[in-house]
Amino acid sequence: MGKKITDSRWFYIVISLLLAFVLWIYVGKEANPIKTSTLSNVQVVFSGLEKLEERGLMISEGADQTVALRIRTRNDVWSRLNQGETTVTIDVSGITEPGEQNMSITARNISYPRSITATDSIDLQYTSPSTVSFTVSKWASKDVGVRGVFEGSIADGYQRGEFSMAPEKVTVSGPQELVDQIDYAKVTVTQTDMNATYSQDTGYTLIDYEGNAVYYSELETSPETVLVTMPVEKLKEVELTVDIIPGGGATEDDVDIDIDPKTIMVSGSDQDLENLDSISLGEINLSDVFGSLTQSMPIQLDSALTNVSGITEANVTVTIKGLTTKVLQVNNISFINRPNGYRADVVTQSCSVQIRGTKEAVEAVTSSQLRIVADLSEVELATGNQTIPVKVYLDGSSDVGVVGDYNIVVSITRE
């Protein structure tokens, strides 16, 4: 009679192996149980951003957000999840128009740490939120002007000038709806008791059309700073003068001079103003002054100075005092520099000439001491009568002068 199977040694070996395997499975499950828990602050990563840029689009809101994942897996897998980086990837390459976007999160969107292998079973229960919401906007750029605001103070005896910026405009880039809100960029100077020009690279603040400062992180600006210059110059009151040219028997001692205004306020550097005591309006030749002369003369300054008063002209009145005038008829007329091939004949036979000086000196002058000389070097080379300027000379008296300008008529003919 054959042996029973239970009497076989191999039977007990197989039974032992089966029991060991069952015990291993049991112990493994108890030591590495399955659990369900939440993995928080999982970063959302966007892919395909280069495609958005090619279409002039960008993510304007929701670019930085996290989600929570409810996951069921074994304990050892959980420990590896917590030790590595888990992300949710959202592909935006297919978006072609701006607007609000909502994309669902599935298991295929989730990237686990490299320590998680294909044999590790992970069961995604749900996500919170279940979708990723974000806004896609058009990318825009525009240039806005830079304006200066002074909130400090200027030292006594000094004045500040107008701001200048380099560059005068900055570029603002970002979502179109935000870029469209920007009106200008503002720089602020707050120094006190300033007595020197301010020039410094300075940051600026973007201002919207309602005058409010805006600080959108989505906006980019270029350049980040501008060179701000605010001139601060010294003030000085300076007298206006005229240069008197003696003539017609009169000198500066023989005239009264009235200038309105008498002074103006100018600004400039300490060095430029140090030796500036007066500003000349120009020359007045007394030989052109008959009794009294009033004329408007421009106020001209060196380019380094600023006319703070803003007055650009002064009225100058010059009055002759204490001198006598006399009119004499002069017929002593001659020519110089007669052009070759032409002849000149006097048409004007006599000219009334006014002289001026002290009473005694004027009474002593006779017509024979006066002579009229016509310079023909500038005469037109054409036949006929021409009016030309002449110069009147007074010989034999240094205390009397000729007043005014004179012309005669000459006849020009070919020889």
Side-chain angles (χ1 to χ4, degrees), residues 160-220:
R160 75 176 183 90
E162 297 297 324
F163 281 100
S164 63
M165 312 293 177
E168 295 180 348
K169 293 184 177 182
V170 297
T171 301
V172 182
S173 304
Q176 186 168 22
E177 61 271 20
L178 299 183
V179 171
D180 289 344
Q181 298 178 30
I182 306 304
D183 183 17
Y184 65 94
K186 182 179 76 172
V187 295
T188 305
V189 177
T190 59
Q191 294 186 3
T192 58
D193 294 328
M194 297 179 66
N195 60 5
T197 295
Y198 175 93
S199 185
Q200 186 172 318
D201 285 318
T202 307
Y204 50 85
T205 302
L206 298 179
I207 306 297
D208 65 17
Y209 285 94
E210 296 182 354
N212 301 314
V214 295
Y215 302 95
Y216 298 127
S217 60
E218 297 89 346
L219 293 178
E220 299 178 3

Side-chain angles (χ1 to χ4, degrees), residues 53-120:
E53 294 178 3
E54 291 174 3
R55 299 173 185 134
L57 301 174
M58 63 174 294
I59 297 176
S60 57
E61 293 183 24
D64 187 14
Q65 57 181 297
T66 61
V67 298
L69 306 180
R70 187 68 173 174
I71 293 175
R72 184 172 183 271
T73 189
R74 292 194 176 278
N75 192 57
D76 67 324
V77 177
W78 260 110
S79 64
R80 281 177 281 152
L81 283 175
N82 291 331
Q83 292 172 1
E85 292 293 330
T86 300
T87 59
V88 173
T89 300
I90 301 298
D91 183 7
V92 297
S93 61
I95 298 175
T96 59
E97 296 293 336
E100 300 293 330
Q101 307 291 331
N102 291 283
M103 292 191 175
S104 299
I105 302 174
T106 66
R108 289 178 297 178
N109 298 113
I110 302 172
S111 299
Y112 295 107
R114 293 181 180 179
S115 60
I116 305 299
T117 66
T119 59
D120 295 320

Side-chain angles (χ1 to χ4, degrees), residues 7 9 28 33 80 155 185 188 190 224 243 283 306-307 330 340 412:
D7 295 334
R9 184 169 65 91
R80 281 177 281 152
T188 305
T190 59
E224 295 183 355
D243 297 326
E283 298 180 345
T306 301
N307 186 339
V330 181
N340 293 330
I412 305 296

Side-chain angles (χ1 to χ4, degrees), residues 65-374:
Q65 57 181 297
T66 61
V67 298
L69 306 180
R70 187 68 173 174
I71 293 175
R72 184 172 183 271
T73 189
R74 292 194 176 278
N75 192 57
D76 67 324
V77 177
W78 260 110
S79 64
R80 281 177 281 152
L81 283 175
N82 291 331
Q83 292 172 1
E85 292 293 330
T86 300
T87 59
V88 173
T89 300
I90 301 298
D91 183 7
V92 297
S93 61
I95 298 175
T96 59
E97 296 293 336
E100 300 293 330
Q101 307 291 331
N102 291 283
M103 292 191 175
S104 299
I105 302 174
T106 66
R108 289 178 297 178
N109 298 113
I110 302 172
S111 299
Y112 295 107
R114 293 181 180 179
S115 60
I116 305 299
T117 66
T119 59
D120 295 320
S121 176
I122 299 177
D123 183 14
L124 177 65
Q125 303 290 297
Y126 60 86
T127 67
S128 179
S130 60
T131 60
V132 173
S133 299
F134 56 97
T135 302
V136 173
S137 302
K138 283 187 175 295
W139 178 270
S141 294
K142 77 172 182 179
D143 293 335
V144 298
V146 184
R147 303 179 190 176
V149 175
F150 181 60
E151 296 180 353
S153 61
I154 302 298
D156 291 340
Y158 289 82
Q159 173 178 288
R160 75 176 183 90
E162 297 297 324
F163 281 100
S164 63
M165 312 293 177
E168 295 180 348
K169 293 184 177 182
V170 297
T171 301
V172 182
S173 304
Q176 186 168 22
E177 61 271 20
L178 299 183
V179 171
D180 289 344
Q181 298 178 30
I182 306 304
D183 183 17
Y184 65 94
K186 182 179 76 172
V187 295
T188 305
V189 177
T190 59
Q191 294 186 3
T192 58
D193 294 328
M194 297 179 66
N195 60 5
T197 295
Y198 175 93
S199 185
Q200 186 172 318
D201 285 318
T202 307
Y204 50 85
T205 302
L206 298 179
I207 306 297
D208 65 17
Y209 285 94
E210 296 182 354
N212 301 314
V214 295
Y215 302 95
Y216 298 127
S217 60
E218 297 89 346
L219 293 178
E220 299 178 3
T221 56
S222 178
E224 295 183 355
T225 61
V226 295
L227 177 60
V228 180
T229 301
M230 188 185 76
V232 176
E233 299 178 320
K234 188 175 183 178
L235 291 171
K236 188 174 185 178
E237 188 175 16
V238 181
E239 180 185 12
L240 298 178
T241 64
V242 291
D243 297 326
I244 298 297
I245 306 300
T251 67
E252 189 170 359
D253 295 333
D254 301 315
V255 297
D256 288 329
I257 303 172
D258 180 67
I259 302 176
D260 182 27
K262 291 180 171 56
T263 63
I264 62 169
M265 189 71 72
V266 299
S267 66
S269 67
D270 291 350
Q271 181 179 358
D272 291 331
L273 293 178
E274 183 178 1
N275 297 317
L276 181 66
D277 298 319
S278 63
I279 297 171
S280 175
L281 300 172
E283 298 180 345
I284 293 182
N285 193 325
L286 294 183
S287 63
D288 298 325
V289 179
F290 295 83
S292 181
L293 171 69
T294 298
Q295 69 180 54
S296 179
M297 303 183 73
I299 302 173
Q300 298 178 334
L301 299 182
D302 186 272
S303 59
L305 302 177
T306 301
N307 186 339
V308 177
S309 298
I311 301 172
T312 59
E313 293 183 340
N315 291 319
V316 179
T317 300
V318 177
T319 304
I320 303 293
K321 60 180 183 178
L323 298 180
T324 298
T325 61
K326 181 180 179 180
V327 177
L328 297 173
Q329 290 300 124
V330 181
N331 54 22
N332 182 10
I333 302 173
S334 62
F335 299 121
I336 61 174
N337 298 320
R338 182 172 57 86
N340 293 330
Y342 288 86
R343 174 177 174 174
D345 296 304
V346 176
V347 177
T348 302
Q349 298 297 316
S350 179
C351 188
S352 297
V353 176
Q354 186 179 73
I355 61 174
R356 181 173 59 202
T358 62
K359 183 176 180 180
E360 295 79 7
V362 168
E363 290 298 330
V365 176
T366 64
S367 297
S368 61
Q369 292 176 262
L370 294 166
R371 54 190 175 89
I372 297 173
V373 178

